[in-house]
């Protein structure tokens, strides 16, 4: 599938629609984090059991994403995305209706299966529609879903949870998904394949054996692991270790989301104008310092928690524009759908594994404090360094992936 030329206005409309789709997917994942205190109390579960609830989403997304890699390039993009998104909306409704910890676990697994693969199709569509010279900004527009979910979704979700119990945010998401589905049906373009699709086994063999693909997958997995080991216990640690109340949690997400929403486009422009590896390196260095601070934060006023959380969200989000632009640029268009599905599987597996690692390291003391969080910070910082090394290795074999405003490589570039 080649890049499909669109007018600038049409590009913006498509990107904004994809960003809204991604917003609901991200909000569905993120809402679990601040609801941690609610869910642990309502279902009488431990921090480790809560980490399993979070990990179920990523692990099922990983398995289904890998399976979808066999055939995803054989299905027209718009049809694939909307079908998966419909399944995601139904699974989110099932989360709202779940009466027990076990049924909620099953519903979260289903949401991950549909939502994770839908997200991979979404990023493939960005690569199909947006030329390489503007792909950093395209990734930033879609990536803005993360801070937008923090600014609007998470605080409102927490408000609903506090007012109507924890089911309410999932009802909100399932209702919103109906509107987003209708928007996608009207706005998204039909993207036809420029190349005959390969046999599923040949397609998967090319995806998982080509050196460019292998390096991109390793880099992408570590990109996610570095942050995913921190995120599940961010809100619980703010309550247990820093001393915030559950009513104050929306403030830290509001501050972080506003700052990230303002800085995400900046990172996108930097990624298009400068060597993407250099941008990733500097942002990762800043993120490492913030992680050390946030995992060792003692009891503090709410404004300090807001400041540190904002820095955490800004630097974490800032890493994704250059990194994902490098990954997308490195992959030949004919493998893009299948690769992005496998890439999503790797990212979701990395996220789930990070959640499990964090759950093993973090325990609740007799006084209610979460211990072991500083050790999780050490693991995260080490992963930042490994992620940069893997990105450097990707640039070695695919120099065009990091080059600013490069011309997209020919059909055999990934081979």
């Amino acid at each position: 599938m080649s890049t499909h030329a669109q007018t600038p206005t049409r590009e913006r409309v498509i990107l904004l629609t994809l960003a809204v789709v991604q917003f609901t997917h991200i909000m569905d994942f993120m809402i679990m984090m601040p609801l941690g205190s609610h869910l642990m109390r309502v279902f009488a579960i431990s921090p480790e059991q809560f980490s399993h609830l979070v990990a179920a989403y990523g692990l099922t997304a990983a398995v289904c994403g890998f399976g979808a890699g066999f055939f995803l390039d054989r299905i027209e993009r718009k049809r694939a995305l909307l079908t998966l998104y419909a399944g995601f909306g139904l699974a989110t409704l099932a989360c709202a209706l779940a009466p027990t910890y076990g049924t909620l676990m099953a519903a979260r697994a289903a949401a991950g299966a549909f939502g994770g693969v839908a997200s991979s199709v979404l990023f493939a569509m960005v690569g199909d529609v947006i030329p390489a010279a503007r792909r950093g900004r395209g990734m930033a527009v879609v990536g803005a879903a993360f801070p937008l979910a923090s600014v609007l979704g998470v605080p409102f979700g927490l408000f609903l949870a506090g007012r109507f119990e924890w089911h309410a945010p999932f009802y909100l998401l399932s209702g919103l998904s109906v509107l987003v589905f209708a928007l996608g049906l009207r706005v998204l373009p039909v993207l036809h394949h420029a190349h005959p699709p390969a046999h599923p086994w040949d397609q998967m063999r090319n995806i998982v054996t080509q050196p460019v693909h292998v390096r991109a997958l390793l880099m992408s997995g570590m990109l996610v692991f570095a942050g995913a080991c921190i995120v599940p216990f961010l809100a619980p640690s703010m309550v247990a270790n820093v001393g915030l109340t559950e009513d104050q949690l929306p403030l830290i997400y509001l501050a972080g989301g506003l700052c990230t929403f303002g800085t995400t486009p900046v990172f996108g422009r930097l990624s298009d104008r400068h060597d993407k590896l250099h941008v990733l390196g500097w942002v990762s260095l800043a993120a490492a310092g913030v992680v050390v601070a946030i995992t060792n934060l003692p009891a503090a006023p709410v404004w300090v928690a807001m400041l540190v959380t904002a820095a955490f969200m800004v630097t974490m989000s800032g890493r994704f524009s250059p990194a994902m632009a490098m990954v997308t640029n490195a992959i030949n268009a004919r493998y893009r759908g299948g690769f992005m599905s496998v890439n999503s599987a790797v990212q979701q597996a990395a996220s789930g594994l990070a959640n499990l690692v964090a759950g093993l390291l973090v325990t609740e003391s007799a006084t209610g404090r979460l211990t072991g969080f500083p050790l999780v910070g050490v693991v995260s910082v080490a992963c930042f360094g490994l992620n940069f090394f893997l990105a450097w290795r990707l640039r070695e074999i695919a120099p065009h992936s990091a080059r600013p405003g490069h011309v997209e490589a020919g059909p055999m570039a990934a081979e």
Side-chain angles (χ1 to χ4, degrees):
M1 187 176 289
S2 59
T3 301
H4 291 67
Q6 306 284 339
T7 64
T9 300
R10 182 68 174 164
E11 272 188 17
R12 286 194 291 271
V13 171
I14 293 170
L15 279 174
L16 289 174
T17 302
L18 293 175
V20 174
V21 173
Q22 184 72 344
F23 166 79
T24 54
H25 172 240
I26 294 296
M27 183 176 168
D28 180 72
F29 178 76
M30 285 187 62
I31 198 64
M32 289 297 293
M33 314 310 173
L35 287 181
S37 300
H38 290 267
L39 295 173
M40 284 190 281
R41 182 182 66 251
V42 170
F43 292 114
I45 57 176
S46 67
E48 184 177 359
Q49 287 175 301
F50 172 65
S51 73
H52 294 167
L53 196 59
V54 176
Y57 189 100
L59 293 177
T60 55
V63 172
C64 294
F66 185 81
F70 283 93
F71 59 85
L72 206 55
D73 279 315
R74 305 176 70 87
I75 305 173
E76 191 273 319
R77 295 273 198 261
K78 179 178 179 179
R79 180 185 301 174
L81 178 61
L82 293 181
T83 300
L84 290 163
Y85 191 70
F88 164 77
L90 291 173
T92 302
L93 178 61
C95 292
L97 298 172
T100 64
Y101 173 72
T103 52
L104 180 59
M105 177 81 76
R108 294 307 297 160
F114 286 107
V117 181
S119 183
S120 68
V121 178
L122 183 151
F123 279 106
M125 290 185 77
V126 174
D128 293 335
V129 173
I130 308 301
R134 296 193 297 277
R135 204 162 284 156
R137 277 167 284 186
M139 290 294 175
V141 170
V142 175
F146 175 84
L148 193 61
S150 301
V151 173
L152 300 177
V154 172
F156 189 53
L158 283 170
F159 167 77
L160 290 176
R163 185 76 180 269
F164 303 106
E165 266 304 326
W166 65 269
H167 308 270
F170 294 108
Y171 281 122
L172 171 68
L173 271 176
S174 58
L176 185 59
S177 297
V178 175
L179 300 178
V180 175
F181 180 89
L183 177 65
L185 192 64
R186 180 177 179 81
V187 169
L188 295 178
V190 175
L191 301 177
H192 296 288
H193 293 267
H195 304 282
H199 187 278
W201 286 107
D202 293 336
Q203 178 84 349
M204 182 57 70
R205 186 174 62 251
N206 281 320
I207 289 172
V208 300
T209 61
Q210 296 296 338
V212 168
H213 297 165
V214 173
R215 295 188 187 190
L217 290 171
L218 289 173
M219 169 201 166
S220 186
M222 194 52 58
L223 174 75
V224 170
F225 191 101
C229 56
I230 300 294
V231 172
F233 292 102
L234 179 59
S237 73
M238 287 294 171
V239 174
N241 296 359
V242 182
L244 302 190
T245 65
E246 290 184 352
D247 291 337
Q248 290 174 320
L249 285 178
L251 294 176
I252 68 171
Y253 283 94
L254 180 64
L258 284 173
C259 292
T260 307
F261 189 72
T263 56
T264 296
V266 175
F267 290 118
R269 288 193 293 270
L270 288 173
S271 299
D272 286 334
R273 294 176 182 175
H274 303 282
D275 186 296
K276 294 170 181 59
L277 181 65
H278 294 168
V279 177
L280 176 63
W282 285 111
V283 180
S284 297
L285 187 63
V290 174
V291 163
V292 171
I294 205 166
T295 55
N296 290 276
L297 194 64
V302 65
W303 68 266
V304 173
M306 291 169 65
L307 182 64
V308 177
T309 303
F312 174 78
M313 290 187 179
V314 165
T315 53
M316 284 294 173
S317 179
R319 297 164 57 239
F320 275 78
S321 291
M324 288 306 298
M326 281 186 69
V327 168
T328 309
N329 290 346
I331 307 306
N332 182 264
R334 70 183 303 169
Y335 300 116
R336 187 173 288 140
F339 174 87
M340 293 307 291
S341 185
V342 174
N343 182 70
S344 176
V346 170
Q347 288 188 331
Q348 296 290 354
S351 177
L353 182 60
N355 296 156
L356 293 177
V357 169
L360 292 173
L361 296 177
V362 176
T363 57
E364 189 172 10
S365 69
T367 60
R369 285 184 59 84
L370 296 181
T371 59
F373 203 34
L375 183 56
V376 176
V378 173
V379 173
S380 177
V381 170
C383 290
F384 287 139
L386 185 54
N387 175 236
F388 180 78
F389 171 75
L390 292 169
W392 172 71
R393 293 278 292 162
L394 177 62
R395 190 182 68 168
E396 271 192 330
I397 197 172
H400 62 278
S401 65
R403 202 173 296 146
H406 80 275
V407 177
E408 202 152 6
M412 301 303 290
E415 300 180 25

